[in-house]
Amino acid sequence: MHESGDPKAARAIDPVKLDRLARMALTVGVDLAEGQNLLIIAPLATLPMVRLLARHAYQMGAGLVTPILTDEDMALIRCRHASDHSFDQAPSWLYKGMAEALRANTARIVVMGSNPTLLAGQNSDGISRLNKAEWKAHRPVLQMTAGFGINWGKVAYPTPAWAAAVFPDVDAAEAISKLSDAIFAASRVNVDDPVAEWRNHNANLHARADWLNGKRFASLRFRGPATDLTVGLADDHRWKGGSSATANGRTITPNIPTEEVFTAPHCERVSGHARMTKPLAIGGTLIEGIEVRFEAGRLVDVRASRGADILRRMVDTDEGAKRLGEVALVPDSTPISRSDLLYYVTTFDENAASHIAFGQCYADCFRDGITRSPEEVAARGGNSSLIHVDCMIGSGEIDVDGIHADGAVEPVMRQGEWT
Amino acid sequence: MHESGDPKAARAIDPVKLDRLARMALTVGVDLAEGQNLLIIAPLATLPMVRLLARHAYQMGAGLVTPILTDEDMALIRCRHASDHSFDQAPSWLYKGMAEALRANTARIVVMGSNPTLLAGQNSDGISRLNKAEWKAHRPVLQMTAGFGINWGKVAYPTPAWAAAVFPDVDAAEAISKLSDAIFAASRVNVDDPVAEWRNHNANLHARADWLNGKRFASLRFRGPATDLTVGLADDHRWKGGSSATANGRTITPNIPTEEVFTAPHCERVSGHARMTKPLAIGGTLIEGIEVRFEAGRLVDVRASRGADILRRMVDTDEGAKRLGEVALVPDSTPISRSDLLYYVTTFDENAASHIAFGQCYADCFRDGITRSPEEVAARGGNSSLIHVDCMIGSGEIDVDGIHADGAVEPVMRQGEWT
């Protein structure tokens, strides 16, 4: 495998910090319980991280650790050689099985390190159908994680393909070294006590969410270059950020890194237009120069300078894919934004900028959210879809106002920073 | 990964023959139907074969190809770091899901290439419990394959660890080159038209099985050094060999290579003693110098010069693990036997020698077998167990007699060859 053929590249990653990152992802991130089983979802190229996670999980007293390793080349082989009927299929038996494991109190961690440009140049119709089939099959898993029914999390590993996409102008070893430094900084493991660092960071995010919850804004208005977008917030919405409680009694920080506070928009109360401030990577293809326009909550126009086909097919997945399931505020001064890199990975790029997400909302973004039924969520304007795809609309040029139910306006962010 | 770090080693495998082997495994072996989905079960180190299989399957019109890749190091990490309670667990949700896929007409192929000595020196109690949990969880899959409910097969790939075990005295590249030559020869792809070669070979095996079926022996008696074993055959037993029909209408040659004709013993009519003529590899450990004694079908004594613990725990899995589910005749002159190698992989070693198997019988080894229920199989003496483990008892020093119901004796093999 090309991913592992270069020992110099592997040496470019600081083993002490990598080990600390793996351990932190299981403690601060997933909050793995003693005796609990763990499911690891990972691309093959992240194998060293998978093995580190397994060792730490077992040392923490895990029951059974089961890695599901994805060979990214399978998608390429399929695009190049498969018959047309293949592209509407996904291994639903596998996702159903995973959901069954999660319902039986198995924790889940996803290792990020895919090749962001793997499928560039492949048939966009095939890729769109393949993604739709995957999202549909994946739904039982998404319900358990997005609903915070179980403890789950994500952690990054600097694979050669990812590093080459982020740092195209340096050699492989240097790219990996630079990406690993960026991951360690963003994941806050460059300190002696990452657990204390994360406790402090989570407290800051909780305080910001509490402030917004106290305001009970009816909507947010984003203004900046080519952008004037009003995002109505769902009834009984709740702002969240940092660590969360799960229904199985754990306290997780599912996204590492995380800098956002976020809530559920009202899926019928979004209007105006916006220009995305970052490209979007979907299933191995890059979509750039995205502009969108909404009326009464629904996407009525979407353009892109590159990859528009994939984007249009994505929002055609179902009715909810044309509506918003999340709005998030991220100041422009986060460590990730300051690194001034494009990571091509949502969990990183979304924490460099305020964003909206097409598709499924988080049930946990409502007061007493964990116990709310899908019907109760929908009645409050919460969106439902097979997909959940984040798009960045924030930058140092964006102002955000909070608008109260009586029309009173209050500044929330100016030039990308909290007021 | 160590498996891929040596480009010289990868170059030691003839790409034309490897490609031919992959294609033959899907046509002659699995008989993959157009539009059918395919499940590939494989250790990570066999990744080049997995990708070849996927490409050929898609080119043959497969629906969806889903590889389940096993990182063998996970077993080592578990043995070294896991808590005691971990060793009784297996991912039953995954096996149940696979069985669901098979019932929905998914074909299955297993890629052989595990490290035979991976777990040597690890805690034998933990390994035994781990194997038992795996066998139990795996049962829904075994029922679909051993019952010929679906088309399935196996194919080998010469991994570095396997090659090093078979050829410990040469360097890595030479070991891989030698093992790949041996695999290509045994799998009969060293000819221009492997399909015609296999048609002919299957016809020979069918003729041999037909001859034995015509005889309707009540039992077989094996005699040789430290061996005098009488294996009663099940009522209504059927000898099989080479290609088989499956319930979903395919014609498969599930084991590649294959040289055996085999049937179901009567699980209460085995008596005498035998010395195994080859070591046995179970879950990464080697068991050597095995001697066994049976009374009324049941194993009453088992010894081994190495690994006896693992062996004893294996036969303690359940009652059926102490009884026989298969008896197979293989002449000593097969290409595999002539190579005079120990492969540490059952599908190869069992085709160098006559053998018996502890555990589950094949429902297909009864007249009209495919449609018989487990109760009907049991009523005829067919054995039932979580396990199916082959042990070699044949060699050039073994004579086999067929014994008729009236006590008449007829020679079947002399000094390891058909009479």
Side-chain angles (χ1 to χ4, degrees):
Chain A
M1 290 157 48
H2 65 283
E3 297 87 355
S4 57
D6 187 350
K8 195 178 154 206
R11 279 198 301 274
I13 304 171
D14 180 334
V16 174
K17 289 183 184 171
L18 190 69
D19 192 76
R20 202 187 279 163
L21 176 61
R23 194 172 159 70
M24 192 273 291
L26 292 172
T27 53
V28 171
V30 172
D31 191 20
L32 187 69
E34 199 180 331
Q36 197 178 18
N37 290 355
L38 177 67
L39 184 60
I40 305 177
I41 312 294
L44 273 188
T46 68
L47 191 61
M49 175 55 88
V50 173
R51 289 174 176 171
L52 270 180
L53 289 169
R55 178 162 64 75
H56 281 296
Y58 280 129
Q59 285 173 343
M60 289 164 66
L64 176 68
V65 178
T66 306
I68 300 293
L69 300 167
T70 313
D71 177 18
E72 292 192 281
D73 277 26
M74 280 295 142
L76 265 188
I77 292 170
R78 195 166 162 198
C79 285
R80 286 178 186 151
H81 302 290
S83 308
D84 186 72
H85 60 78
S86 170
F87 294 92
D88 298 315
Q89 303 202 42
S92 44
W93 63 268
L94 181 58
Y95 293 117
K96 272 170 64 184
M98 287 182 197
E100 181 187 319
L102 300 186
R103 283 191 299 269
N105 200 39
T106 297
R108 174 174 176 269
I109 189 162
V110 172
V111 186
M112 299 175 284
S114 297
N115 179 352
T117 58
L118 180 77
L119 297 179
Q122 299 298 323
N123 174 302
S124 66
D125 172 63
I127 294 170
S128 296
R129 287 162 55 200
L130 188 154
N131 286 336
K132 182 171 177 176
E134 282 288 321
W135 280 320
K136 199 169 168 182
H138 190 255
R139 189 161 174 88
V141 173
L142 188 68
Q143 282 173 331
M144 283 302 291
T145 55
F148 288 83
I150 197 71
N151 48 332
W152 60 281
K154 294 179 187 174
V155 66
Y157 180 79
T159 59
W162 183 17
V166 180
F167 301 98
D169 300 324
V170 301
D171 74 24
E174 192 181 344
I176 290 173
S177 172
K178 281 171 175 283
L179 181 58
S180 64
D181 286 347
I183 289 170
F184 296 146
S187 306
R188 298 173 184 261
V189 293
N190 277 341
V191 294
D192 288 338
D193 187 352
V195 175
E197 168 77 9
W198 272 96
R199 196 180 301 123
N200 182 45
H201 181 52
N202 273 324
N204 289 341
L205 291 169
H206 291 162
R208 187 64 64 184
D210 288 348
W211 179 79
L212 284 161
N213 282 326
K215 292 293 179 187
R216 313 279 340 131
F217 290 124
S219 60
L220 297 181
R221 184 175 178 190
F222 294 81
R223 277 179 301 169
T227 295
D228 186 352
L229 183 71
T230 299
V231 178
L233 302 182
D235 300 334
D236 295 330
H237 71 268
R238 176 168 70 151
W239 286 90
K240 295 196 57 185
S243 58
S244 285
T246 61
N248 69 330
R250 311 306 297 174
T251 301
I252 66 175
T253 307
N255 290 315
I256 288 178
T258 188
E259 305 288 345
E260 61 176 349
V261 290
F262 60 100
T263 193
H266 194 294
C267 68
E268 294 172 354
R269 297 179 194 157
V270 180
S271 61
H273 58 279
R275 178 191 288 166
M276 303 301 163
T277 51
K278 304 251 186 191
L280 175 63
I282 300 179
T285 55
L286 262 195
I287 302 161
E288 294 179 294
I290 305 171
E291 300 200 33
V292 295
R293 193 161 61 81
F294 290 88
E295 283 175 13
R298 194 165 193 269
L299 184 72
V300 291
D301 190 29
V302 56
R303 295 153 195 266
S305 58
R306 184 177 157 192
D309 260 22
I310 301 273
L311 186 62
R312 287 209 183 90
R313 286 199 175 87
M314 179 195 92
V315 298
D316 280 343
T317 303
D318 52 28
E319 176 60 25
K322 291 181 194 65
R323 296 175 185 272
L324 298 187
E326 183 191 350
V327 59
L329 296 175
V330 180
D332 193 51
S333 58
T334 68
I336 299 172
S337 183
R338 279 183 180 155
S339 75
D340 206 25
L341 294 170
L342 183 59
Y343 291 89
Y344 304 103
V345 170
T346 299
T347 306
F348 281 74
D349 290 325
E350 72 173 351
N351 285 301
S354 294
H355 53 273
I356 50 178
F358 292 94
Q360 181 66 39
C361 72
Y362 293 107
D364 203 33
C365 284
F366 292 84
R367 279 185 262 174
D368 308 320
I370 290 179
T371 56
R372 269 195 213 290
S373 69
E375 292 72 24
E376 288 175 305
V377 167
R380 282 159 181 79
N383 194 32
S384 169
S385 172
L386 290 175
I387 71 167
H388 179 100
V389 178
D390 295 87
C391 295
M392 305 332 129
I393 59 169
S395 77
E397 297 179 297
I398 297 286
D399 292 343
V400 183
D401 286 327
I403 302 169
H404 289 279
D406 63 3
V409 176
E410 194 168 345
V412 173
M413 287 183 142
R414 284 295 174 265
Q415 295 188 298
E417 299 302 324
W418 296 108
T419 51
Chain B
M1 290 157 51
H2 65 285
E3 296 89 352
S4 57
D6 187 350
K8 196 179 153 204
R11 279 198 301 273
I13 304 171
D14 180 335
V16 174
K17 288 182 184 171
L18 190 69
D19 192 76
R20 203 187 278 163
L21 176 62
R23 196 174 157 71
M24 192 273 291
L26 291 173
T27 53
V28 172
V30 171
D31 191 19
L32 187 69
E34 198 180 332
Q36 198 179 17
N37 290 355
L38 177 67
L39 184 60
I40 304 177
I41 312 294
L44 272 188
T46 68
L47 191 62
M49 175 56 89
V50 173
R51 290 175 175 170
L52 270 181
L53 289 169
R55 179 163 63 77
H56 281 296
Y58 280 129
Q59 285 174 343
M60 289 164 65
L64 177 67
V65 178
T66 305
I68 299 292
L69 300 167
T70 314
D71 178 18
E72 292 192 281
D73 277 26
M74 280 294 142
L76 265 187
I77 292 169
R78 194 166 164 198
C79 284
R80 286 179 185 148
H81 302 290
S83 307
D84 186 70
H85 60 77
S86 170
F87 293 93
D88 298 315
Q89 303 202 43
S92 43
W93 64 269
L94 182 57
Y95 294 116
K96 271 169 63 183
M98 286 182 198
E100 182 187 320
L102 299 187
R103 283 191 298 272
N105 199 40
T106 297
R108 174 177 176 267
I109 190 162
V110 172
V111 186
M112 300 176 283
S114 296
N115 179 352
T117 59
L118 180 79
L119 297 178
Q122 300 298 322
N123 173 301
S124 65
D125 173 61
I127 294 169
S128 296
R129 287 162 55 200
L130 187 154
N131 286 337
K132 183 170 176 176
E134 282 287 323
W135 280 321
K136 200 169 166 183
H138 191 256
R139 187 159 176 90
V141 174
L142 189 67
Q143 283 174 330
M144 283 301 291
T145 54
F148 288 82
I150 196 73
N151 47 332
W152 60 280
K154 295 178 186 174
V155 66
Y157 179 79
T159 59
W162 183 15
V166 181
F167 300 98
D169 301 323
V170 301
D171 73 23
E174 192 181 345
I176 289 174
S177 173
K178 281 172 174 283
L179 180 58
S180 63
D181 287 347
I183 289 170
F184 296 147
S187 306
R188 299 173 184 258
V189 292
N190 277 342
V191 292
D192 288 338
D193 188 353
V195 175
E197 168 78 7
W198 273 95
R199 196 180 301 124
N200 181 46
H201 181 52
N202 273 324
N204 290 339
L205 292 170
H206 291 164
R208 187 64 66 184
D210 289 346
W211 180 79
L212 284 161
N213 282 327
K215 291 294 178 187
R216 312 279 340 132
F217 291 124
S219 61
L220 296 181
R221 185 174 178 192
F222 294 82
R223 275 179 303 168
T227 295
D228 187 351
L229 183 71
T230 299
V231 178
L233 302 182
D235 301 334
D236 296 329
H237 71 268
R238 175 167 71 151
W239 286 91
K240 293 196 60 185
S243 58
S244 285
T246 61
N248 68 330
R250 310 307 296 173
T251 301
I252 66 175
T253 307
N255 289 314
I256 289 177
T258 187
E259 306 287 345
E260 62 177 347
V261 290
F262 60 100
T263 193
H266 194 293
C267 69
E268 294 173 354
R269 298 178 193 157
V270 179
S271 62
H273 59 278
R275 178 192 285 166
M276 304 300 163
T277 51
K278 304 251 188 191
L280 175 64
I282 301 180
T285 57
L286 261 195
I287 303 162
E288 294 178 295
I290 305 171
E291 301 200 33
V292 294
R293 194 160 60 79
F294 290 88
E295 283 175 13
R298 195 167 192 270
L299 184 73
V300 291
D301 191 28
V302 55
R303 295 153 195 267
S305 58
R306 184 177 158 194
D309 260 21
I310 301 273
L311 186 62
R312 287 209 183 90
R313 287 199 175 87
M314 179 194 91
V315 298
D316 280 344
T317 302
D318 51 30
E319 175 59 26
K322 291 182 192 67
R323 297 176 184 270
L324 298 188
E326 182 192 350
V327 58
L329 296 175
V330 180
D332 193 51
S333 57
T334 68
I336 300 172
S337 183
R338 279 185 180 154
S339 76
D340 207 26
L341 295 170
L342 183 60
Y343 290 89
Y344 305 103
V345 171
T346 300
T347 305
F348 280 75
D349 289 325
E350 72 173 352
N351 285 300
S354 295
H355 53 273
I356 51 179
F358 293 94
Q360 181 66 42
C361 72
Y362 293 106
D364 202 32
C365 284
F366 292 84
R367 279 184 262 176
D368 307 320
I370 291 178
T371 56
R372 269 196 212 290
S373 69
E375 293 72 26
E376 288 174 305
V377 166
R380 283 158 181 80
N383 195 32
S384 168
S385 171
L386 290 175
I387 72 166
H388 179 100
V389 179
D390 296 87
C391 295
M392 305 333 127
I393 59 170
S395 78
E397 298 179 299
I398 296 287
D399 292 342
V400 183
D401 287 327
I403 302 169
H404 289 280
D406 63 3
V409 176
E410 195 168 344
V412 173
M413 287 183 140
R414 285 294 175 265
Q415 294 188 299
E417 298 302 326
W418 296 107
T419 51

